[in-house]
Short mmCIF file of all heavy atoms in Angstrom, two decimals:
data_model
loop_
_atom_site.label_atom_id
_atom_site.label_comp_id
_atom_site.label_asym_id
_atom_site.label_seq_id
_atom_site.Cartn_x
_atom_site.Cartn_y
_atom_site.Cartn_z
N MET A 90 34.31 -36.76 -6.96
CA MET A 90 34.73 -36.53 -8.32
C MET A 90 33.54 -36.18 -9.22
O MET A 90 33.67 -35.33 -10.10
CB MET A 90 35.44 -37.77 -8.88
CG MET A 90 36.80 -38.02 -8.30
SD MET A 90 37.76 -39.32 -9.15
CE MET A 90 36.74 -40.74 -8.95
N ILE A 91 32.42 -36.83 -8.98
CA ILE A 91 31.23 -36.58 -9.80
C ILE A 91 30.74 -35.15 -9.59
O ILE A 91 30.49 -34.42 -10.56
CB ILE A 91 30.12 -37.60 -9.49
CG1 ILE A 91 30.59 -39.00 -9.89
CG2 ILE A 91 28.83 -37.23 -10.20
CD1 ILE A 91 29.73 -40.12 -9.35
N ARG A 92 30.63 -34.75 -8.35
CA ARG A 92 30.16 -33.39 -8.05
C ARG A 92 31.14 -32.35 -8.62
O ARG A 92 30.72 -31.35 -9.18
CB ARG A 92 30.00 -33.19 -6.55
CG ARG A 92 29.45 -31.83 -6.21
CD ARG A 92 29.35 -31.55 -4.74
NE ARG A 92 29.61 -32.69 -3.90
CZ ARG A 92 29.04 -32.92 -2.73
NH1 ARG A 92 28.16 -32.08 -2.26
NH2 ARG A 92 29.35 -33.98 -2.03
N ASP A 93 32.42 -32.62 -8.50
CA ASP A 93 33.43 -31.70 -9.04
C ASP A 93 33.29 -31.55 -10.55
O ASP A 93 33.38 -30.45 -11.09
CB ASP A 93 34.84 -32.17 -8.70
CG ASP A 93 35.16 -32.08 -7.22
OD1 ASP A 93 34.44 -31.35 -6.50
OD2 ASP A 93 36.12 -32.73 -6.79
N GLU A 94 33.06 -32.66 -11.24
CA GLU A 94 32.90 -32.60 -12.70
C GLU A 94 31.63 -31.86 -13.07
O GLU A 94 31.60 -31.08 -14.03
CB GLU A 94 32.89 -34.01 -13.30
CG GLU A 94 32.74 -34.05 -14.80
CD GLU A 94 33.87 -33.37 -15.56
OE1 GLU A 94 34.98 -33.20 -15.01
OE2 GLU A 94 33.64 -32.99 -16.74
N LEU A 95 30.57 -32.08 -12.33
CA LEU A 95 29.30 -31.38 -12.57
C LEU A 95 29.51 -29.87 -12.42
O LEU A 95 29.06 -29.09 -13.26
CB LEU A 95 28.24 -31.88 -11.60
CG LEU A 95 26.81 -31.46 -11.84
CD1 LEU A 95 26.29 -31.99 -13.17
CD2 LEU A 95 25.92 -31.92 -10.70
N ARG A 96 30.21 -29.46 -11.39
CA ARG A 96 30.50 -28.04 -11.18
C ARG A 96 31.40 -27.49 -12.28
O ARG A 96 31.19 -26.37 -12.76
CB ARG A 96 31.17 -27.83 -9.82
CG ARG A 96 30.22 -27.97 -8.67
CD ARG A 96 30.93 -27.80 -7.35
NE ARG A 96 30.00 -27.97 -6.24
CZ ARG A 96 30.37 -28.26 -5.02
NH1 ARG A 96 31.65 -28.43 -4.73
NH2 ARG A 96 29.48 -28.40 -4.07
N ARG A 97 32.42 -28.26 -12.67
CA ARG A 97 33.33 -27.82 -13.73
C ARG A 97 32.56 -27.53 -15.02
O ARG A 97 32.84 -26.58 -15.72
CB ARG A 97 34.40 -28.89 -13.98
CG ARG A 97 35.51 -28.43 -14.92
CD ARG A 97 36.42 -29.56 -15.34
NE ARG A 97 35.79 -30.52 -16.22
CZ ARG A 97 35.47 -30.28 -17.50
NH1 ARG A 97 35.73 -29.13 -18.05
NH2 ARG A 97 34.90 -31.21 -18.24
N GLN A 98 31.54 -28.35 -15.28
CA GLN A 98 30.73 -28.17 -16.47
C GLN A 98 29.62 -27.13 -16.30
O GLN A 98 28.86 -26.86 -17.23
CB GLN A 98 30.10 -29.50 -16.89
CG GLN A 98 31.10 -30.52 -17.36
CD GLN A 98 30.42 -31.78 -17.87
OE1 GLN A 98 29.25 -31.81 -18.24
NE2 GLN A 98 31.19 -32.86 -17.92
N GLU A 99 29.52 -26.58 -15.10
CA GLU A 99 28.50 -25.59 -14.76
C GLU A 99 27.08 -26.11 -15.03
O GLU A 99 26.22 -25.42 -15.58
CB GLU A 99 28.75 -24.27 -15.51
CG GLU A 99 30.08 -23.64 -15.15
CD GLU A 99 30.36 -22.35 -15.89
OE1 GLU A 99 29.63 -22.02 -16.86
OE2 GLU A 99 31.31 -21.66 -15.49
N ARG A 100 26.87 -27.36 -14.63
CA ARG A 100 25.57 -28.00 -14.78
C ARG A 100 24.87 -28.02 -13.42
O ARG A 100 25.51 -28.11 -12.38
CB ARG A 100 25.72 -29.45 -15.24
CG ARG A 100 26.48 -29.63 -16.52
CD ARG A 100 25.62 -29.35 -17.69
NE ARG A 100 26.31 -29.75 -18.92
CZ ARG A 100 25.75 -29.68 -20.09
NH1 ARG A 100 24.53 -29.25 -20.23
NH2 ARG A 100 26.43 -30.06 -21.16
N SER A 101 23.55 -27.99 -13.44
CA SER A 101 22.78 -28.03 -12.20
C SER A 101 22.53 -29.48 -11.78
O SER A 101 22.60 -30.41 -12.60
CB SER A 101 21.43 -27.33 -12.39
OG SER A 101 20.59 -28.10 -13.23
N VAL A 102 22.21 -29.65 -10.52
CA VAL A 102 21.88 -30.98 -10.01
C VAL A 102 20.58 -31.45 -10.66
O VAL A 102 20.44 -32.64 -10.97
CB VAL A 102 21.79 -30.97 -8.47
CG1 VAL A 102 21.31 -32.32 -7.95
CG2 VAL A 102 23.13 -30.61 -7.85
N ALA A 103 19.66 -30.55 -10.91
CA ALA A 103 18.41 -30.92 -11.59
C ALA A 103 18.70 -31.47 -12.99
O ALA A 103 18.12 -32.48 -13.40
CB ALA A 103 17.47 -29.72 -11.67
N TRP A 104 19.59 -30.83 -13.71
CA TRP A 104 19.98 -31.31 -15.05
C TRP A 104 20.58 -32.70 -14.94
O TRP A 104 20.23 -33.60 -15.69
CB TRP A 104 20.99 -30.35 -15.69
CG TRP A 104 21.53 -30.83 -16.99
CD1 TRP A 104 21.01 -30.60 -18.23
CD2 TRP A 104 22.70 -31.65 -17.19
NE1 TRP A 104 21.78 -31.22 -19.19
CE2 TRP A 104 22.83 -31.87 -18.57
CE3 TRP A 104 23.64 -32.20 -16.34
CZ2 TRP A 104 23.86 -32.64 -19.12
CZ3 TRP A 104 24.67 -32.97 -16.88
CH2 TRP A 104 24.76 -33.17 -18.25
N PHE A 105 21.50 -32.87 -14.00
CA PHE A 105 22.18 -34.14 -13.78
C PHE A 105 21.17 -35.24 -13.45
O PHE A 105 21.21 -36.33 -14.03
CB PHE A 105 23.19 -33.97 -12.64
CG PHE A 105 23.87 -35.23 -12.21
CD1 PHE A 105 24.74 -35.90 -13.06
CD2 PHE A 105 23.68 -35.73 -10.94
CE1 PHE A 105 25.39 -37.06 -12.65
CE2 PHE A 105 24.33 -36.88 -10.52
CZ PHE A 105 25.19 -37.54 -11.38
N ALA A 106 20.23 -34.96 -12.55
CA ALA A 106 19.22 -35.94 -12.15
C ALA A 106 18.38 -36.37 -13.36
O ALA A 106 18.11 -37.56 -13.54
CB ALA A 106 18.34 -35.37 -11.05
N ARG A 107 17.99 -35.42 -14.18
CA ARG A 107 17.22 -35.76 -15.39
C ARG A 107 18.03 -36.65 -16.32
O ARG A 107 17.51 -37.61 -16.89
CB ARG A 107 16.79 -34.49 -16.14
CG ARG A 107 15.60 -33.80 -15.54
CD ARG A 107 15.04 -32.73 -16.47
NE ARG A 107 16.03 -31.76 -16.93
CZ ARG A 107 16.40 -30.66 -16.29
NH1 ARG A 107 15.84 -30.37 -15.13
NH2 ARG A 107 17.30 -29.85 -16.79
N LYS A 108 19.31 -36.34 -16.50
CA LYS A 108 20.15 -37.10 -17.42
C LYS A 108 20.36 -38.55 -16.97
O LYS A 108 20.50 -39.43 -17.80
CB LYS A 108 21.52 -36.43 -17.59
CG LYS A 108 21.48 -35.10 -18.31
CD LYS A 108 21.00 -35.23 -19.72
CE LYS A 108 22.13 -35.51 -20.66
NZ LYS A 108 21.75 -35.51 -22.07
N ILE A 109 20.38 -38.79 -15.66
CA ILE A 109 20.59 -40.16 -15.19
C ILE A 109 19.29 -40.79 -14.68
O ILE A 109 19.31 -41.86 -14.08
CB ILE A 109 21.71 -40.23 -14.12
CG1 ILE A 109 21.34 -39.45 -12.86
CG2 ILE A 109 23.04 -39.77 -14.69
CD1 ILE A 109 22.27 -39.74 -11.68
N CYS A 110 18.18 -40.11 -14.94
CA CYS A 110 16.84 -40.64 -14.61
C CYS A 110 16.65 -40.94 -13.13
O CYS A 110 16.32 -42.07 -12.73
CB CYS A 110 16.54 -41.88 -15.43
SG CYS A 110 16.61 -41.61 -17.20
N CYS A 111 16.90 -39.93 -12.31
CA CYS A 111 16.64 -40.08 -10.88
C CYS A 111 16.15 -38.75 -10.33
O CYS A 111 16.12 -37.74 -11.03
CB CYS A 111 17.89 -40.57 -10.14
SG CYS A 111 19.18 -39.32 -9.89
N SER A 112 15.80 -38.74 -9.07
CA SER A 112 15.35 -37.50 -8.42
C SER A 112 16.55 -36.66 -8.00
O SER A 112 17.67 -37.17 -7.90
CB SER A 112 14.52 -37.84 -7.18
OG SER A 112 15.33 -38.42 -6.19
N ARG A 113 16.30 -35.38 -7.76
CA ARG A 113 17.38 -34.51 -7.26
C ARG A 113 17.88 -35.03 -5.92
O ARG A 113 19.10 -35.01 -5.66
CB ARG A 113 16.88 -33.07 -7.11
CG ARG A 113 16.81 -32.33 -8.41
CD ARG A 113 16.35 -30.88 -8.26
NE ARG A 113 17.11 -30.16 -7.28
CZ ARG A 113 16.60 -29.50 -6.23
NH1 ARG A 113 15.30 -29.47 -6.04
NH2 ARG A 113 17.35 -28.86 -5.39
N THR A 114 16.98 -35.51 -5.08
CA THR A 114 17.37 -36.04 -3.78
C THR A 114 18.34 -37.20 -3.94
O THR A 114 19.37 -37.27 -3.25
CB THR A 114 16.13 -36.50 -2.99
OG1 THR A 114 15.24 -35.39 -2.83
CG2 THR A 114 16.50 -37.05 -1.62
N HIS A 115 18.04 -38.11 -4.86
CA HIS A 115 18.94 -39.24 -5.09
C HIS A 115 20.27 -38.77 -5.66
O HIS A 115 21.33 -39.31 -5.31
CB HIS A 115 18.28 -40.27 -6.01
CG HIS A 115 19.11 -41.50 -6.21
ND1 HIS A 115 19.33 -42.42 -5.21
CD2 HIS A 115 19.82 -41.93 -7.27
CE1 HIS A 115 20.11 -43.36 -5.66
NE2 HIS A 115 20.43 -43.10 -6.91
N ALA A 116 20.24 -37.77 -6.53
CA ALA A 116 21.48 -37.24 -7.10
C ALA A 116 22.39 -36.72 -5.98
O ALA A 116 23.59 -36.99 -5.97
CB ALA A 116 21.18 -36.14 -8.10
N TYR A 117 21.83 -35.99 -5.03
CA TYR A 117 22.63 -35.50 -3.91
C TYR A 117 23.20 -36.66 -3.09
O TYR A 117 24.34 -36.59 -2.61
CB TYR A 117 21.81 -34.58 -3.00
CG TYR A 117 21.67 -33.18 -3.55
CD1 TYR A 117 20.44 -32.73 -4.01
CD2 TYR A 117 22.75 -32.30 -3.59
CE1 TYR A 117 20.30 -31.44 -4.53
CE2 TYR A 117 22.62 -31.02 -4.09
CZ TYR A 117 21.39 -30.60 -4.55
OH TYR A 117 21.26 -29.33 -5.06
N LYS A 118 22.43 -37.74 -2.94
CA LYS A 118 22.90 -38.91 -2.19
C LYS A 118 24.08 -39.57 -2.91
O LYS A 118 24.99 -40.07 -2.26
CB LYS A 118 21.77 -39.90 -1.97
CG LYS A 118 20.76 -39.43 -0.96
CD LYS A 118 19.64 -40.43 -0.78
CE LYS A 118 18.62 -39.89 0.21
NZ LYS A 118 17.50 -40.81 0.40
N ILE A 119 24.04 -39.56 -4.24
CA ILE A 119 25.14 -40.14 -5.02
C ILE A 119 26.45 -39.43 -4.68
O ILE A 119 27.50 -40.06 -4.54
CB ILE A 119 24.85 -40.06 -6.53
CG1 ILE A 119 23.72 -41.03 -6.90
CG2 ILE A 119 26.10 -40.32 -7.36
CD1 ILE A 119 23.19 -40.85 -8.31
N PHE A 120 26.39 -38.11 -4.52
CA PHE A 120 27.61 -37.34 -4.23
C PHE A 120 28.24 -37.74 -2.91
O PHE A 120 29.45 -37.60 -2.73
CB PHE A 120 27.31 -35.84 -4.18
CG PHE A 120 26.74 -35.28 -5.45
CD1 PHE A 120 25.86 -34.22 -5.40
CD2 PHE A 120 27.09 -35.78 -6.70
CE1 PHE A 120 25.34 -33.67 -6.56
CE2 PHE A 120 26.58 -35.25 -7.86
CZ PHE A 120 25.70 -34.19 -7.79
N GLU A 121 27.45 -38.24 -1.98
CA GLU A 121 27.94 -38.58 -0.65
C GLU A 121 28.39 -40.03 -0.51
O GLU A 121 28.99 -40.40 0.49
CB GLU A 121 26.86 -38.29 0.40
CG GLU A 121 26.37 -36.84 0.40
CD GLU A 121 27.51 -35.84 0.56
OE1 GLU A 121 28.41 -36.10 1.38
OE2 GLU A 121 27.49 -34.81 -0.12
N LYS A 122 28.12 -40.86 -1.51
CA LYS A 122 28.45 -42.29 -1.41
C LYS A 122 29.95 -42.54 -1.45
O LYS A 122 30.67 -41.86 -2.17
CB LYS A 122 27.80 -43.06 -2.57
CG LYS A 122 26.31 -43.16 -2.47
CD LYS A 122 25.78 -43.97 -3.63
CE LYS A 122 24.30 -44.17 -3.46
NZ LYS A 122 23.92 -45.53 -3.76
N ASP A 123 30.37 -43.54 -0.69
CA ASP A 123 31.77 -43.99 -0.73
C ASP A 123 31.99 -44.97 -1.87
O ASP A 123 33.11 -45.18 -2.31
CB ASP A 123 32.17 -44.66 0.58
CG ASP A 123 32.32 -43.67 1.71
OD1 ASP A 123 32.62 -42.49 1.44
OD2 ASP A 123 32.13 -44.07 2.87
N ASN A 124 30.91 -45.64 -2.30
CA ASN A 124 31.01 -46.56 -3.42
C ASN A 124 29.77 -46.43 -4.29
O ASN A 124 28.75 -45.90 -3.85
CB ASN A 124 31.22 -48.01 -2.95
CG ASN A 124 30.09 -48.47 -2.05
OD1 ASN A 124 28.94 -48.49 -2.44
ND2 ASN A 124 30.43 -48.85 -0.83
N ILE A 125 29.87 -46.93 -5.53
CA ILE A 125 28.78 -46.74 -6.47
C ILE A 125 28.73 -47.94 -7.42
O ILE A 125 29.77 -48.50 -7.78
CB ILE A 125 28.97 -45.41 -7.24
CG1 ILE A 125 27.74 -45.05 -8.05
CG2 ILE A 125 30.20 -45.42 -8.08
CD1 ILE A 125 27.77 -43.63 -8.57
N ASP A 126 27.54 -48.33 -7.79
CA ASP A 126 27.32 -49.42 -8.73
C ASP A 126 27.94 -49.07 -10.08
O ASP A 126 27.83 -47.92 -10.53
CB ASP A 126 25.81 -49.64 -8.86
CG ASP A 126 25.46 -50.72 -9.84
OD1 ASP A 126 25.47 -51.89 -9.45
OD2 ASP A 126 25.19 -50.37 -11.01
N ILE A 127 28.58 -50.03 -10.73
CA ILE A 127 29.27 -49.72 -11.99
C ILE A 127 28.30 -49.34 -13.10
O ILE A 127 28.65 -48.53 -13.97
CB ILE A 127 30.21 -50.85 -12.44
CG1 ILE A 127 29.45 -52.14 -12.71
CG2 ILE A 127 31.32 -51.05 -11.45
CD1 ILE A 127 30.30 -53.19 -13.42
N LEU A 128 27.09 -49.88 -13.10
CA LEU A 128 26.13 -49.49 -14.13
C LEU A 128 25.70 -48.04 -13.95
O LEU A 128 25.54 -47.30 -14.93
CB LEU A 128 24.92 -50.43 -14.12
CG LEU A 128 25.23 -51.88 -14.49
CD1 LEU A 128 23.98 -52.75 -14.36
CD2 LEU A 128 25.81 -51.97 -15.89
N LEU A 129 25.53 -47.63 -12.70
CA LEU A 129 25.20 -46.23 -12.44
C LEU A 129 26.37 -45.34 -12.82
O LEU A 129 26.18 -44.28 -13.44
CB LEU A 129 24.84 -46.03 -10.96
CG LEU A 129 24.56 -44.60 -10.52
CD1 LEU A 129 23.44 -43.96 -11.35
CD2 LEU A 129 24.22 -44.57 -9.03
N LEU A 130 27.58 -45.76 -12.50
CA LEU A 130 28.75 -44.97 -12.86
C LEU A 130 28.88 -44.85 -14.38
O LEU A 130 29.27 -43.80 -14.89
CB LEU A 130 30.02 -45.56 -12.26
CG LEU A 130 31.28 -44.71 -12.42
CD1 LEU A 130 31.10 -43.33 -11.79
CD2 LEU A 130 32.48 -45.42 -11.82
N ALA A 131 28.52 -45.89 -15.10
CA ALA A 131 28.55 -45.83 -16.57
C ALA A 131 27.53 -44.81 -17.07
O ALA A 131 27.83 -44.01 -17.98
CB ALA A 131 28.27 -47.21 -17.16
N ARG A 132 26.32 -44.79 -16.49
CA ARG A 132 25.30 -43.79 -16.89
C ARG A 132 25.79 -42.38 -16.60
O ARG A 132 25.62 -41.47 -17.40
CB ARG A 132 23.99 -44.04 -16.13
CG ARG A 132 23.16 -45.13 -16.71
CD ARG A 132 21.72 -45.19 -16.25
NE ARG A 132 21.32 -44.45 -15.10
CZ ARG A 132 20.81 -44.98 -13.98
NH1 ARG A 132 20.68 -46.29 -13.86
NH2 ARG A 132 20.43 -44.22 -12.99
N ILE A 133 26.41 -42.21 -15.45
CA ILE A 133 26.92 -40.89 -15.06
C ILE A 133 28.04 -40.47 -16.01
O ILE A 133 28.08 -39.32 -16.46
CB ILE A 133 27.40 -40.91 -13.60
CG1 ILE A 133 26.19 -41.07 -12.66
CG2 ILE A 133 28.20 -39.66 -13.27
CD1 ILE A 133 26.55 -41.38 -11.23
N SER A 134 28.93 -41.39 -16.33
CA SER A 134 30.03 -41.10 -17.26
C SER A 134 29.49 -40.65 -18.61
O SER A 134 29.97 -39.67 -19.20
CB SER A 134 30.92 -42.32 -17.44
OG SER A 134 31.64 -42.59 -16.25
N ARG A 135 28.47 -41.35 -19.12
CA ARG A 135 27.87 -40.96 -20.41
C ARG A 135 27.19 -39.60 -20.30
O ARG A 135 27.34 -38.76 -21.19
CB ARG A 135 26.87 -42.01 -20.87
CG ARG A 135 27.53 -43.23 -21.49
CD ARG A 135 26.52 -44.13 -22.19
NE ARG A 135 25.50 -44.67 -21.30
CZ ARG A 135 25.63 -45.77 -20.56
NH1 ARG A 135 26.75 -46.46 -20.60
NH2 ARG A 135 24.66 -46.18 -19.79
N ALA A 136 26.45 -39.37 -19.23
CA ALA A 136 25.72 -38.11 -19.07
C ALA A 136 26.66 -36.91 -19.02
O ALA A 136 26.38 -35.86 -19.60
CB ALA A 136 24.86 -38.15 -17.80
N LEU A 137 27.78 -37.08 -18.34
CA LEU A 137 28.72 -35.97 -18.18
C LEU A 137 29.83 -35.97 -19.23
O LEU A 137 30.63 -35.04 -19.28
CB LEU A 137 29.35 -36.00 -16.78
CG LEU A 137 28.39 -35.71 -15.63
CD1 LEU A 137 29.09 -35.87 -14.28
CD2 LEU A 137 27.79 -34.33 -15.76
N GLY A 138 29.87 -37.01 -20.06
CA GLY A 138 30.92 -37.08 -21.07
C GLY A 138 32.30 -37.15 -20.45
O GLY A 138 33.27 -36.60 -20.96
N HIS A 139 32.38 -37.84 -19.32
CA HIS A 139 33.65 -37.95 -18.58
C HIS A 139 33.81 -39.40 -18.13
O HIS A 139 32.90 -39.96 -17.51
CB HIS A 139 33.62 -37.02 -17.36
CG HIS A 139 34.88 -37.07 -16.56
ND1 HIS A 139 35.95 -36.23 -16.80
CD2 HIS A 139 35.26 -37.87 -15.53
CE1 HIS A 139 36.91 -36.50 -15.95
NE2 HIS A 139 36.52 -37.50 -15.17
N ASN A 140 34.94 -40.02 -18.41
CA ASN A 140 35.17 -41.42 -18.06
C ASN A 140 35.72 -41.52 -16.63
O ASN A 140 36.92 -41.44 -16.42
CB ASN A 140 36.12 -42.06 -19.07
CG ASN A 140 36.19 -43.55 -18.89
OD1 ASN A 140 35.89 -44.09 -17.84
ND2 ASN A 140 36.60 -44.23 -19.95
N PHE A 141 34.81 -41.75 -15.70
CA PHE A 141 35.21 -41.89 -14.30
C PHE A 141 35.96 -43.20 -14.06
O PHE A 141 36.70 -43.32 -13.10
CB PHE A 141 33.99 -41.79 -13.38
CG PHE A 141 33.43 -40.40 -13.33
CD1 PHE A 141 32.31 -40.05 -14.07
CD2 PHE A 141 34.04 -39.41 -12.57
CE1 PHE A 141 31.80 -38.77 -14.04
CE2 PHE A 141 33.54 -38.12 -12.52
CZ PHE A 141 32.41 -37.80 -13.27
N PHE A 142 35.78 -44.18 -14.94
CA PHE A 142 36.52 -45.43 -14.82
C PHE A 142 38.02 -45.18 -15.02
O PHE A 142 38.84 -45.79 -14.34
CB PHE A 142 36.00 -46.47 -15.82
CG PHE A 142 34.59 -46.90 -15.52
CD1 PHE A 142 33.53 -46.35 -16.21
CD2 PHE A 142 34.34 -47.85 -14.55
CE1 PHE A 142 32.22 -46.74 -15.94
CE2 PHE A 142 33.04 -48.25 -14.26
CZ PHE A 142 31.98 -47.69 -14.96
N ASP A 143 38.37 -44.28 -15.93
CA ASP A 143 39.78 -43.92 -16.11
C ASP A 143 40.34 -43.27 -14.84
O ASP A 143 41.45 -43.56 -14.42
CB ASP A 143 39.96 -42.95 -17.29
CG ASP A 143 39.96 -43.64 -18.63
OD1 ASP A 143 40.08 -44.89 -18.69
OD2 ASP A 143 39.82 -42.93 -19.64
N ASP A 144 39.54 -42.39 -14.25
CA ASP A 144 39.97 -41.73 -13.00
C ASP A 144 40.24 -42.77 -11.92
O ASP A 144 41.26 -42.70 -11.21
CB ASP A 144 38.90 -40.76 -12.50
CG ASP A 144 38.67 -39.59 -13.44
OD1 ASP A 144 39.54 -39.31 -14.28
OD2 ASP A 144 37.59 -38.97 -13.32
N LEU A 145 39.34 -43.73 -11.79
CA LEU A 145 39.51 -44.78 -10.77
C LEU A 145 40.73 -45.63 -11.07
O LEU A 145 41.49 -45.97 -10.17
CB LEU A 145 38.26 -45.64 -10.70
CG LEU A 145 37.04 -44.97 -10.09
CD1 LEU A 145 35.81 -45.85 -10.26
CD2 LEU A 145 37.27 -44.64 -8.63
N SER A 146 40.92 -45.96 -12.31
CA SER A 146 42.07 -46.77 -12.69
C SER A 146 43.38 -46.06 -12.34
O SER A 146 44.31 -46.68 -11.80
CB SER A 146 42.01 -47.05 -14.20
OG SER A 146 43.13 -47.77 -14.61
N ARG A 147 43.44 -44.77 -12.62
CA ARG A 147 44.64 -44.01 -12.28
C ARG A 147 44.84 -43.94 -10.77
O ARG A 147 45.97 -44.03 -10.28
CB ARG A 147 44.58 -42.61 -12.88
CG ARG A 147 44.95 -42.57 -14.35
CD ARG A 147 45.15 -41.15 -14.83
NE ARG A 147 43.97 -40.31 -14.69
CZ ARG A 147 42.96 -40.27 -15.55
NH1 ARG A 147 42.97 -41.01 -16.63
NH2 ARG A 147 41.93 -39.47 -15.35
N SER A 148 43.77 -43.79 -10.01
CA SER A 148 43.91 -43.65 -8.55
C SER A 148 44.38 -44.96 -7.92
O SER A 148 45.09 -44.95 -6.93
CB SER A 148 42.60 -43.19 -7.92
OG SER A 148 41.63 -44.22 -7.92
N ILE A 149 44.03 -46.08 -8.50
CA ILE A 149 44.48 -47.37 -7.97
C ILE A 149 45.99 -47.49 -8.07
O ILE A 149 46.65 -47.97 -7.16
CB ILE A 149 43.77 -48.54 -8.69
CG1 ILE A 149 42.30 -48.58 -8.29
CG2 ILE A 149 44.45 -49.87 -8.38
CD1 ILE A 149 41.46 -49.51 -9.12
N GLY A 150 46.54 -47.00 -9.16
CA GLY A 150 47.98 -47.09 -9.36
C GLY A 150 48.80 -46.08 -8.59
O GLY A 150 50.00 -46.23 -8.45
N THR A 151 48.16 -45.03 -8.03
CA THR A 151 48.93 -43.97 -7.37
C THR A 151 48.80 -43.95 -5.86
O THR A 151 49.55 -43.27 -5.20
CB THR A 151 48.50 -42.58 -7.89
OG1 THR A 151 47.10 -42.38 -7.61
CG2 THR A 151 48.75 -42.47 -9.38
N HIS A 152 47.87 -44.69 -5.29
CA HIS A 152 47.66 -44.66 -3.86
C HIS A 152 48.35 -45.86 -3.22
O HIS A 152 48.25 -46.97 -3.70
CB HIS A 152 46.16 -44.67 -3.55
CG HIS A 152 45.85 -44.30 -2.14
ND1 HIS A 152 45.76 -45.25 -1.15
CD2 HIS A 152 45.61 -43.12 -1.56
CE1 HIS A 152 45.47 -44.65 -0.01
NE2 HIS A 152 45.38 -43.37 -0.22
N PRO A 153 49.08 -45.66 -2.09
CA PRO A 153 49.84 -46.74 -1.46
C PRO A 153 49.02 -47.99 -1.13
O PRO A 153 49.49 -49.09 -1.28
CB PRO A 153 50.38 -46.12 -0.17
CG PRO A 153 50.37 -44.66 -0.41
CD PRO A 153 49.23 -44.39 -1.39
N SER A 154 47.76 -47.82 -0.70
CA SER A 154 46.94 -49.00 -0.36
C SER A 154 46.26 -49.59 -1.58
O SER A 154 45.59 -50.60 -1.47
CB SER A 154 45.89 -48.61 0.68
OG SER A 154 44.91 -47.77 0.08
N GLY A 155 46.40 -48.95 -2.74
CA GLY A 155 45.77 -49.47 -3.94
C GLY A 155 44.46 -48.79 -4.27
O GLY A 155 44.00 -48.84 -5.39
N LEU A 156 43.84 -48.15 -3.29
CA LEU A 156 42.57 -47.47 -3.53
C LEU A 156 42.62 -46.10 -2.88
O LEU A 156 43.26 -45.89 -1.87
CB LEU A 156 41.40 -48.26 -2.95
CG LEU A 156 41.13 -49.61 -3.58
CD1 LEU A 156 40.02 -50.33 -2.82
CD2 LEU A 156 40.74 -49.47 -5.04
N GLN A 157 41.90 -45.18 -3.47
CA GLN A 157 41.80 -43.83 -2.94
C GLN A 157 40.36 -43.52 -2.67
O GLN A 157 39.48 -43.95 -3.40
CB GLN A 157 42.29 -42.82 -3.98
CG GLN A 157 43.51 -42.11 -3.62
CD GLN A 157 43.87 -41.10 -4.68
OE1 GLN A 157 43.11 -40.74 -5.54
NE2 GLN A 157 45.10 -40.64 -4.61
N LYS A 158 40.08 -42.76 -1.63
CA LYS A 158 38.71 -42.32 -1.36
C LYS A 158 38.49 -40.98 -1.97
O LYS A 158 39.35 -40.20 -2.16
CB LYS A 158 38.44 -42.24 0.13
CG LYS A 158 38.23 -43.60 0.72
CD LYS A 158 37.70 -43.45 2.10
CE LYS A 158 37.38 -44.81 2.67
NZ LYS A 158 36.77 -44.78 3.92
#
């Protein structure tokens, strides 16, 4: 979802890494993670101006097991 939002905004990974204070390499690793620390997700949400917590909340209510990957 994070990578999709970054692409939708036509932002570069370098821009994203600068906004969340990490290296480009770490930014790419974030895209591949199955889970993410909530403080990091909050920084990402602020940087991209997108509330990923809302997305997660909606996915919990729509997936049969309660969680979506």
Side-chain angles (χ1 to χ4, degrees):
M90 288 190 300
I91 295 167
R92 183 183 352 213
D93 292 342
E94 181 62 21
L95 190 63
R96 287 178 181 159
R97 189 189 69 72
Q98 293 185 20
E99 299 179 349
R100 304 280 189 176
S101 70
V102 175
W104 175 89
F105 175 66
R107 281 192 308 274
K108 293 296 271 186
I109 64 168
C110 301
C111 75
S112 68
R113 282 182 52 235
T114 301
H115 184 69
Y117 281 110
K118 288 179 182 179
I119 290 170
F120 301 148
E121 302 305 319
K122 290 182 175 224
D123 288 333
N124 58 60
I125 190 168
D126 178 84
I127 62 169
L128 295 176
L129 176 57
L130 188 58
R132 280 195 346 240
I133 292 168
S134 291
R135 282 191 299 275
L137 292 176
H139 181 91
N140 190 338
F141 290 100
F142 294 99
D143 280 346
D144 295 340
L145 289 172
S146 178
R147 280 191 300 277
S148 72
I149 290 169
T151 60
H152 194 269
S154 70
L156 295 175
Q157 246 183 15
K158 284 192 176 185

